[in-house]
Amino acid sequence: MRFIYALLMLSIFSTASFAEVNVVATLPWIGSVAKEIGKEKINVAVLVKSGQDPHFVEAKPSMIVAAKNADIIMYNGLELEIGYLPLIITSSRNPKIQPGQKGNLDCSISVNVIEMAKTDLDRSMGDVHASGNPHYHLSPDNVLKAAKTISERLSSIDGGNSDFYRSRFDIFEKGLREKMKEWDERMAPLKGKKVILYHRDMNYLMERYGIGVVGYIEPKPGIPPTPKHLQSLIEAGKREGVSAVLVNTYFERRSPSFVADKIGVKMLMLPIDVFGVPEARDYISLMDYVTNAVKEGLR
Amino acid sequence: MRLPLSSLLIILLFSGAVYGADSDAESRIKALEEALSDQQKTINELKAQKEGGRLRLIDISLDALFSAGGSTEGDESLQSLQGGGHDPRKRGFTVQNVELSLSGAVDPYLKGEAHIIYFLDPLEGETVVELEEAFMTTTSLPYGLQLEAGQFFTEFGRINPQHPHQWHWQDQPVINTRFFGPDGMRGPGFRLGWLAPLPWYSEFHVGMQNANGETMASFLANDELFGERPIGNRPFVQRDVDTMKDLVYLARLDNSLDLTQNVTAKVGLSGLYGPNATGEAGETGIYGADLVIKWRPGYQERGWPFIIWESEVMRRDYKADAVYDDSDPANVIDLKKETLRDWGLYTQLLYGFSPGWAAGLRYEYATGSRDSVGGRDNDPFRDDRTRISPLLTWMPSEFSRLRVQYNYDRADHLDDEEAHSVWLGVEFMYGAHAAHAF
Ligand SMILES: [Zn+2]
């Protein structure tokens, strides 16, 4: 039954020709923001599930089919999708979404990137990104910038609806700015607190709210922890007085809960993307959930 | 230094203006934000000027496969038991395959790709360098079409078109060695792919390649390869390429469906047809079916856990021409026209049970009908054979891999019909991040 339903959905998706723009987004948050702006004028297909580690995604044939029918492909950029997206774009044979075309949108082009490499990098440092930390979407400022990029690009490929996209962006901006005030108020008391992260995936959030990051469960990006590293992390955590260990839901819990126990603080499991928990239905409810959870956890 | 100072100045100026004016706060904030966003634009532009985008000309990567191990069989016997050119096939160390890959965009219409390989001949220790593949792929033909032209692996089944470092086991399946020779079936030609306008993934391939050369084992092959591995132990007959009938033709249909959110299946059917090296009337047909099912749960850490179940079954109809040769009266060759039928399969299950770790089991079977000259039981490439291979893999990172594999062999051509081998493999890869097809 479920199979037939999926087939039905797919065929609706592929035959939808009534002036709708077919959008393929790599990550759930991109799909969510695009839908906010495009509403009924666009169809959105999201390639990566929220529980999946976005650094390690396999290019499935169904993703190629989605890309084949796309008018535009929107992605996070900053090398996050390097392991699967180039293959999907080439295999799709879709001229509209090839690099350099209007239908190929790197959502990072206007965001403020942190942790850009100041010295030369190589893979002895782990899974490093020379162009900076790619997990910028927990910064609402950056998501606002990305939303603007998305609305401008939608206006450009679907000129007839450009007023619609612009007004939808204005509504999105207004709503997000109001929420940002609420989040800022909620997070203000946490300024100066310190945490340990698993991966460099919440740094933008920490930076925005002035929370210090003492260390990471991973010794290097993408490299699994060693006992020696965890030991030094526990010492650093005690010395610096961290308030919690924050872990994105798709990581293993053994090492972070061990570290949290030894330091004597809580381990917080947080969704990093839309639908990571049922409450996170869209970008704004994701941030609501995350800020509430962090506030509760760091109290 | 200039940039931060000037931005500070502008902010100060604006805030000065804001203090001076007594309009509502909203518009002052708006003005401030606009100023800041203008600043951001300047910063981004300057950043782009300083760093610029990189011009990506060629993505280069190098992948090296080495193995060490031992077998109850000696090196001579291992050459046919481990008949793949990149299999571990020597007591001690084997340089299986060192592959240099170069790829990049040619122009707005084409992509280029080349793979150059190096290995050591296990018996002589001789260095071998080969151009494995070099081809171009179109990126924007209409109607879901894609053309590839150059020198490339034939798109038959799953294992043959892949490079050795994409295989989960350390050696190629027995049936691939029998049908496609030590280095896989590849050659110059073209291939046209069509992605059908269906709601699921459905791709149809047709291809045409030269039928001769050492990488065309079941077709025209060449003197040297056929001398080493004659099919049915028949003599090699040199044939010229006269018409289109002297080339080899491929058809392949691939279909894939997501059975559930976490389970994806891909089914393929392939067929090959072309002339062979037994005489003017010699022709070969190879037919195969392949199936892969992958399970990747919604929650995955670094791509773990996973289950991959992969199987292929294939059959070859080798129509051998009659041969009569009485030039040596003491040894008159008189072979009738007959069709040698061979078939075989492999099925393998790989379970990624914990980040970095995977365990697997592969079962293989191969057999044939109609005798080889000298008896099929004595023909290492046509006898009845079963191989069972458990495997354990550890990947410290995406770019390196350690494997240990045990092969239990039961083959008619072996002296005591059984062989045991253990192979330890090391692989490392560096350079551009390669994306692999499903
Ligand atoms: Zn990351």
Side-chain angles (χ1 to χ4, degrees):
Chain A
M1 194 54 224
R2 192 154 160 199
F3 169 72
I4 292 168
Y5 174 72
L7 212 67
L8 205 72
M9 288 307 289
L10 268 168
S11 46
I12 289 169
F13 174 71
S14 61
T15 53
S17 55
F18 24 90
E20 285 179 5
V21 179
N22 284 329
V23 174
V24 168
T26 53
L27 302 181
W29 74 265
I30 299 173
S32 161
V33 171
K35 196 71 197 168
E36 285 298 312
I37 288 164
K39 286 287 176 192
E40 72 280 358
K41 309 273 187 223
I42 65 172
N43 295 310
V44 179
V46 176
L47 300 183
V48 180
K49 284 166 279 181
S50 57
Q52 261 182 315
D53 186 338
H55 306 84
F56 298 91
V57 175
E58 186 180 43
K60 288 201 285 186
S62 55
M63 298 178 180
I64 295 170
V65 175
K68 182 181 80 126
N69 298 320
D71 295 303
I72 179 167
I73 191 156
M74 302 176 177
Y75 53 96
N76 185 88
L78 301 175
E79 297 166 16
L80 188 60
E81 291 102 340
I82 199 164
Y84 63 100
L85 194 61
L87 183 72
I88 290 174
I89 290 177
T90 306
S91 308
S92 77
R93 301 112 197 250
N94 181 347
K96 285 189 247 177
I97 62 167
Q98 299 300 316
Q101 300 300 311
K102 271 189 198 171
N104 183 301
L105 180 63
D106 178 345
C107 294
S108 75
I109 48 178
S110 60
V111 305
N112 289 331
V113 180
I114 61 173
E115 299 166 21
M116 286 216 275
K118 292 186 188 71
T119 55
D120 289 348
L121 303 177
D122 63 44
R123 287 209 189 111
S124 68
M125 301 159 192
D127 190 8
V128 284
H129 303 284
S131 36
N133 188 325
H135 307 287
Y136 57 81
H137 71 281
L138 289 185
S139 148
D141 294 302
N142 276 337
V143 167
L144 193 59
K145 289 192 169 78
K148 184 150 195 180
T149 309
I150 289 171
S151 93
E152 281 166 0
R153 191 61 69 88
L154 282 174
S155 305
S156 141
I157 61 171
D158 180 21
N161 287 316
S162 58
D163 288 343
F164 176 83
Y165 297 128
R166 213 162 294 136
S167 73
R168 284 299 313 169
F169 171 74
D170 289 341
I171 295 168
F172 179 77
E173 178 178 25
K174 197 155 173 279
L176 188 61
R177 285 200 188 280
E178 258 160 42
K179 275 299 194 177
M180 274 156 79
K181 271 185 226 150
E182 196 183 316
W183 299 330
D184 290 351
E185 259 166 52
R186 186 176 298 154
M187 300 292 276
L190 303 183
K191 197 167 174 187
K193 295 221 182 228
K194 286 170 184 168
V195 295
I196 287 173
L197 300 181
Y198 198 108
H199 178 73
R200 295 180 170 273
D201 49 7
M202 299 180 193
N203 298 40
Y204 286 87
L205 187 77
M206 300 306 139
E207 165 145 316
R208 178 177 176 94
Y209 298 113
I211 301 167
V213 180
V214 168
Y216 304 89
I217 301 288
E218 291 178 326
K220 287 166 182 174
I223 303 295
T226 58
K228 199 175 147 215
H229 172 73
L230 293 184
Q231 205 48 52
S232 74
L233 199 58
I234 291 165
E235 281 155 26
K238 283 180 179 160
R239 192 174 57 237
E240 302 272 341
V242 302
S243 306
V245 178
L246 307 187
V247 184
N248 173 350
T249 42
Y250 55 68
F251 285 113
E252 52 96 11
R253 289 147 202 223
R254 216 166 350 129
S255 332
S257 78
F258 170 76
V259 170
D261 278 355
K262 289 284 177 197
I263 301 175
V265 294
K266 262 195 270 183
M267 173 184 73
L268 281 185
M269 298 300 291
L270 294 175
I272 192 127
D273 210 332
V274 177
F275 300 120
V277 290
E279 295 90 329
R281 299 170 312 275
D282 54 20
Y283 180 71
I284 285 179
S285 51
L286 169 76
M287 285 298 291
D288 258 336
Y289 185 94
V290 168
T291 50
N292 267 322
V294 171
K295 166 132 202 218
E296 287 300 308
L298 263 63
R299 207 203 288 273
Chain B
M1 203 55 214
R2 209 178 71 217
L3 186 72
L5 260 182
S6 64
S7 32
L8 204 70
L9 210 67
I10 290 180
I11 291 168
L12 280 174
L13 271 174
F14 263 91
S15 37
V18 166
Y19 277 119
D22 51 8
S23 55
D24 61 317
E26 199 93 345
S27 74
R28 283 184 288 171
I29 289 170
K30 195 100 193 168
L32 246 174
E33 272 164 1
E34 262 161 34
L36 279 174
S37 111
D38 281 349
Q39 278 301 295
Q40 189 55 49
K41 263 196 188 132
T42 319
I43 291 170
N44 287 347
E45 273 160 22
L46 284 172
K47 246 193 259 171
Q49 269 175 29
K50 189 175 142 256
E51 290 154 22
R54 293 162 304 145
L55 177 60
R56 285 177 61 185
L57 296 171
I58 292 187
D59 283 344
I60 301 180
S61 69
L62 189 118
D63 187 279
L65 284 165
F66 299 95
S67 62
S71 172
T72 53
E73 294 298 305
D75 283 352
E76 202 70 49
S77 169
L78 278 175
Q79 299 317 298
S80 51
L81 194 71
Q82 293 291 100
H86 307 292
D87 291 358
R89 54 202 307 222
K90 188 178 172 55
R91 290 174 171 174
F93 300 93
T94 309
V95 180
Q96 291 172 263
N97 192 42
V98 180
E99 179 179 321
L100 182 68
S101 297
L102 308 164
S103 67
V106 176
D107 57 25
Y109 323 105
L110 300 174
K111 274 192 163 185
E113 195 175 324
H115 303 269
I116 297 153
I117 54 168
Y118 164 93
F119 60 95
L120 279 181
D121 173 81
L123 288 185
E124 313 293 334
E126 207 180 313
T127 286
V128 186
V129 177
E130 279 178 6
L131 176 65
E132 192 172 50
E133 288 192 293
F135 61 94
M136 46 135 256
T137 307
T138 62
T139 50
S140 40
L141 284 187
Y143 311 115
L145 292 170
Q146 190 165 56
L147 182 74
E148 283 161 291
Q151 149 101 358
F152 51 85
F153 278 116
T154 309
E155 196 89 1
F156 186 104
R158 286 192 59 81
I159 292 284
N160 190 68
Q162 290 176 350
H163 293 261
H165 65 92
Q166 290 166 268
W167 301 337
H168 296 299
W169 267 253
Q170 294 181 72
D171 40 19
Q172 68 181 22
V174 167
I175 196 65
N176 280 71
T177 303
R178 290 187 174 193
F179 290 4
F180 304 124
D183 297 308
M185 181 170 168
R186 57 188 154 92
F190 80 90
R191 159 173 96 201
L192 186 68
W194 179 52
L195 205 50
L198 291 167
W200 70 89
Y201 181 89
S202 181
E203 187 176 15
F204 187 63
H205 266 117
V206 288
M208 203 166 125
Q209 278 169 304
N210 279 353
N212 61 327
E214 59 174 3
T215 53
M216 287 288 168
S218 290
F219 298 93
L220 292 182
N222 69 13
D223 214 347
E224 199 189 326
L225 178 77
F226 215 80
E228 278 170 29
R229 300 183 179 189
I231 292 175
N233 265 324
R234 288 182 164 246
F236 176 76
V237 178
Q238 183 72 45
R239 283 176 66 176
D240 293 331
V241 178
D242 297 324
T243 65
M244 299 279 275
K245 272 197 75 180
D246 298 324
L247 300 172
V248 59
Y249 294 86
L250 162 90
R252 174 165 171 83
L253 180 66
D254 243 331
N255 280 285
S256 171
L257 263 183
D258 290 340
L259 300 179
T260 72
Q261 276 227 333
N262 305 330
V263 179
T264 301
K266 196 170 180 206
V267 191
L269 294 170
S270 331
L272 280 168
Y273 176 79
N276 70 36
T278 58
E280 283 305 318
E283 53 184 36
T284 305
I286 305 180
Y287 317 95
D290 52 273
L291 170 70
V292 60
I293 294 179
K294 294 192 188 183
W295 169 74
R296 292 185 183 278
Y299 282 86
Q300 271 200 308
E301 184 198 354
R302 296 202 291 136
W304 268 266
F306 61 84
I307 293 176
I308 303 171
W309 179 43
E310 188 174 334
S311 313
E312 276 188 68
V313 55
M314 50 185 110
R315 190 182 96 169
R316 178 179 67 193
D317 292 345
Y318 195 79
K319 286 185 194 150
D321 200 358
V323 188
Y324 184 81
D325 185 353
D326 57 2
S327 55
D328 177 7
N331 184 21
V332 177
I333 300 172
D334 183 8
L335 295 169
K336 283 187 191 46
K337 213 172 180 174
E338 64 176 336
T339 300
L340 309 176
R341 284 215 168 86
D342 289 81
W343 74 274
L345 61 84
Y346 74 86
T347 180
Q348 62 190 36
L349 188 81
L350 188 69
Y351 173 37
F353 55 90
S354 165
W357 290 90
L361 187 66
R362 179 182 68 187
Y363 171 83
E364 295 176 82
Y365 178 71
T367 184
S369 63
R370 302 283 175 87
D371 237 336
S372 294
V373 177
R376 199 168 61 80
D377 286 356
N378 297 318
D379 185 342
F381 298 106
R382 293 200 65 227
D383 64 340
D384 285 359
R385 184 168 170 191
T386 303
R387 183 164 74 179
I388 297 170
S389 316
L391 170 83
L392 184 68
T393 300
W394 178 50
M395 293 178 74
S397 80
E398 233 184 315
F399 306 100
S400 57
R401 175 158 73 163
L402 284 169
R403 290 182 283 188
V404 58
Q405 177 180 338
Y406 162 70
N407 282 356
Y408 166 74
D409 270 290
R410 200 179 166 81
D412 287 345
H413 77 270
L414 296 174
D415 289 340
D416 45 6
E417 299 209 334
E418 276 191 341
H420 305 268
S421 320
V422 175
W423 307 109
L424 185 75
V426 181
E427 176 182 4
F428 57 87
M429 184 270 197
Y430 56 94
H433 196 300
H436 285 152
F438 184 82

